[in-house]
Amino acid sequence: MTFIGALCLLLVLTTLAGHLSNRIGIPSVIGQILVGIIVGPALLNWIQLNNMINLFSQIGVIILMFIGGLESNLKLLRKYLRPAIIVAVIGVIFPVVMIGAACIAFSFSPLEAIFIGVVFSATSVSISVEVLRDYKSLDTKEGATILGAAVADDIIGVILLSIMISLMGSQGVKTGGSSTSLALVFIEQIAFFVLTYLMVKWIVPYVMRIGERLLMASSVTITSMVICLGMAYIAEVVGLSGAVGAFFAGIAVAHTPYRETIENHMEPIGYAVFVPMFFVSIGLNMSFAHIGDSILFVGILTFLACISKLFGCGLGAILNGFNLNSSYMIGSGMISRGEMGLITAQIGFSSGLLSDAYYSDLILVIILSTLIAPFLLKHAIHLLPADDKADLSLDMENGVSGDR
């Protein structure tokens, strides 16, 4: 019951914080993260991160990305697949090189420096999805590029992390509780994307039709939730983020006649409890215990964490013909590290790639960059000129969105 009391308090505070954030014109996620910082170990220490909050947080990420997939446009994603991959690749190279070089300057070993660069090569699209949804920009060419690049980013990050753990002499990468070879991890991930194609094309439409025939209240919604959780679990088993699996599950369900029904049912489920807990958990991870000893290191890494993605992904967008405002929006949308950075840091820490002394500093940098990202993305969205929106409308008229 202690958790129930904490949950009640957090829901009250996140609702008020989201309301106040919207009133003063900042993304609601900022208010929710700040709630975690204020009531958590960083300031008041009323509530600590525990297994139950972590569980609710993980479900929140999965539901948020499932809704993001539901609201995405597969034809638009296909159209901007090439720029998304280029944005992702350059957006990985910049953090690894810039942050790795900075860490070597702080007397880290080369392996530790590269690993820290890999941690900051990850992108958490969950927070960007929320901001894009708030400002009606999810279904745009920039939104599609951010989503596609974040998925590619996740895959590249997993591969780099797998290679580094192998270099440390590990027998392989832990996925789903078992140790597998690096080659097998790659094969499993390829199999996952083959399965995803089959799910989108045939399996999910068939399963959803079966769900509709079940004599059970909300059977279609339950069926979609099973698909969402199942694909999230499979993605985790093969070494990807569960958020990636949930995102593709949302895309698969979006291409059935039940998309609108599922969207109307899933939003209350996610936003009533689970999604706010995800954003709160980011703040609860924060601690200022030893900030005085490493403030320079944290400050420089936070700056580089933001700049490396902003310029790296922005450059990738420019090379693909996006204008400066669109490139700024894409770069801003890729800055947030969130749960992906936290997960990568934890895996590397437990595998011996990072010492205890700097683990908490990295967590702080991840959270600070995650706090900054929504402000930059909001600013970038407001800079988009009206003609860019007109281009999107033309795409829609030409049938880009006809597959919804």
Side-chain angles (χ1 to χ4, degrees):
M1 294 307 293
T2 302
F3 169 71
I4 299 298
L7 179 61
C8 179
L9 174 63
L10 290 173
L11 290 177
V12 169
L13 293 176
T14 52
T15 303
L16 293 174
H19 169 74
L20 291 172
S21 297
N22 286 323
R23 283 293 297 271
I24 62 177
I26 65 174
S28 58
V29 298
I30 294 296
Q32 294 174 337
I33 294 171
L34 287 174
V35 166
I37 293 172
I38 292 166
V39 303
L43 292 176
L44 298 178
N45 201 26
W46 289 352
I47 298 172
Q48 291 79 39
L49 199 62
N50 56 38
N51 290 335
M52 288 297 292
I53 293 176
N54 261 329
L55 177 61
F56 273 55
S57 168
Q58 288 169 19
I59 295 172
V61 175
I62 288 168
I63 293 177
L64 181 61
M65 292 307 297
F66 180 67
I67 294 171
L70 279 173
E71 296 184 356
S72 295
N73 187 305
L74 190 56
K75 282 192 174 179
L76 204 60
L77 283 169
R78 282 198 202 110
K79 181 176 180 180
Y80 293 101
L81 180 62
R82 178 179 172 274
I85 291 172
I86 293 173
V87 165
V89 170
I90 299 178
V92 166
I93 292 170
F94 268 56
V96 170
V97 173
M98 292 173 69
I99 293 176
C103 289
I104 287 174
F106 276 96
S107 303
F108 283 80
S109 70
L111 196 62
E112 273 191 325
I114 294 170
F115 167 70
I116 293 171
V118 170
V119 168
F120 289 99
S121 72
T123 295
S124 168
V125 75
S126 313
I127 292 169
S128 296
V129 163
E130 179 67 2
V131 177
L132 290 169
R133 288 186 75 247
D134 277 352
Y135 295 98
K136 314 296 182 190
S137 300
L138 190 60
D139 207 5
T140 62
K141 62 184 181 182
E142 293 86 4
T145 304
I146 291 168
L147 288 170
V151 171
D153 212 41
D154 192 16
I155 296 165
I156 295 168
V158 168
I159 292 170
L160 290 175
L161 185 61
S162 303
I163 291 170
M164 292 206 68
I165 292 173
S166 297
L167 289 174
M168 285 291 291
S170 168
Q171 293 299 308
V173 185
K174 290 186 178 179
T175 55
S178 62
S179 182
T180 56
S181 69
L182 188 60
L184 185 55
V185 170
F186 295 156
I187 293 169
E188 286 175 343
Q189 290 176 4
I190 292 168
F192 171 80
F193 286 105
V194 172
L195 174 63
T196 297
Y197 175 78
L198 297 175
M199 293 286 283
V200 172
K201 197 77 175 174
W202 293 292
I203 299 172
V204 168
Y206 178 72
V207 171
M208 292 298 292
R209 285 196 297 271
I210 293 174
E212 187 184 29
R213 297 192 186 102
L214 296 175
L215 301 177
M216 177 71 184
S218 302
S219 59
V220 171
T221 304
I222 294 169
T223 304
S224 70
M225 181 63 91
V226 169
I227 293 166
C228 168
L229 297 176
M231 289 191 70
Y233 172 74
I234 293 169
E236 287 280 356
V237 166
V238 302
L240 295 169
S241 164
V244 171
F247 175 72
F248 283 115
I251 287 177
V253 173
H255 287 77
T256 70
Y258 315 101
R259 184 191 68 81
E260 190 172 345
T261 301
I262 301 305
E263 191 175 343
N264 291 337
H265 288 187
M266 290 298 292
E267 284 197 14
I269 293 171
Y271 284 89
V273 180
F274 298 107
V275 174
M277 295 301 287
F278 161 57
F279 294 123
V280 166
S281 72
I282 294 173
L284 291 176
N285 268 294
M286 204 163 192
S287 173
F288 299 130
H290 305 290
I291 187 66
D293 300 331
S294 51
I295 192 166
L296 180 63
F297 176 70
V298 168
I300 290 174
L301 243 63
T302 301
F303 174 76
L304 291 176
C306 296
I307 291 298
S308 60
K309 279 290 185 184
L310 186 64
F311 282 97
C313 296
L315 175 61
I318 288 171
L319 292 176
N320 280 283
F322 286 91
N323 61 37
L324 284 176
N325 286 330
S326 292
S327 300
Y328 173 40
M329 178 175 164
I330 290 166
S332 301
M334 296 292 288
I335 288 173
S336 174
R337 278 17 181 241
E339 82 285 353
M340 283 309 302
L342 296 172
I343 290 166
T344 308
Q346 175 59 38
I347 292 172
F349 175 66
S350 61
S351 302
L353 289 168
L354 185 68
S355 63
D356 298 4
Y358 291 98
Y359 177 66
S360 58
D361 293 336
L362 280 197
I363 298 301
L364 182 56
V365 174
I366 290 166
I367 292 168
L368 288 173
S369 62
T370 301
L371 273 170
I372 293 165
F375 287 107
L376 289 175
L377 183 54
K378 178 197 168 184
H379 182 253
I381 290 169
H382 288 318
L383 285 179
L384 275 186
D387 59 342
D388 278 8
K389 290 166 187 170
D391 289 344
L392 174 65
S393 299
L394 185 61
D395 279 343
M396 301 294 239
E397 288 170 10
N398 290 334
V400 172
S401 63
D403 210 15
R404 279 292 272 264

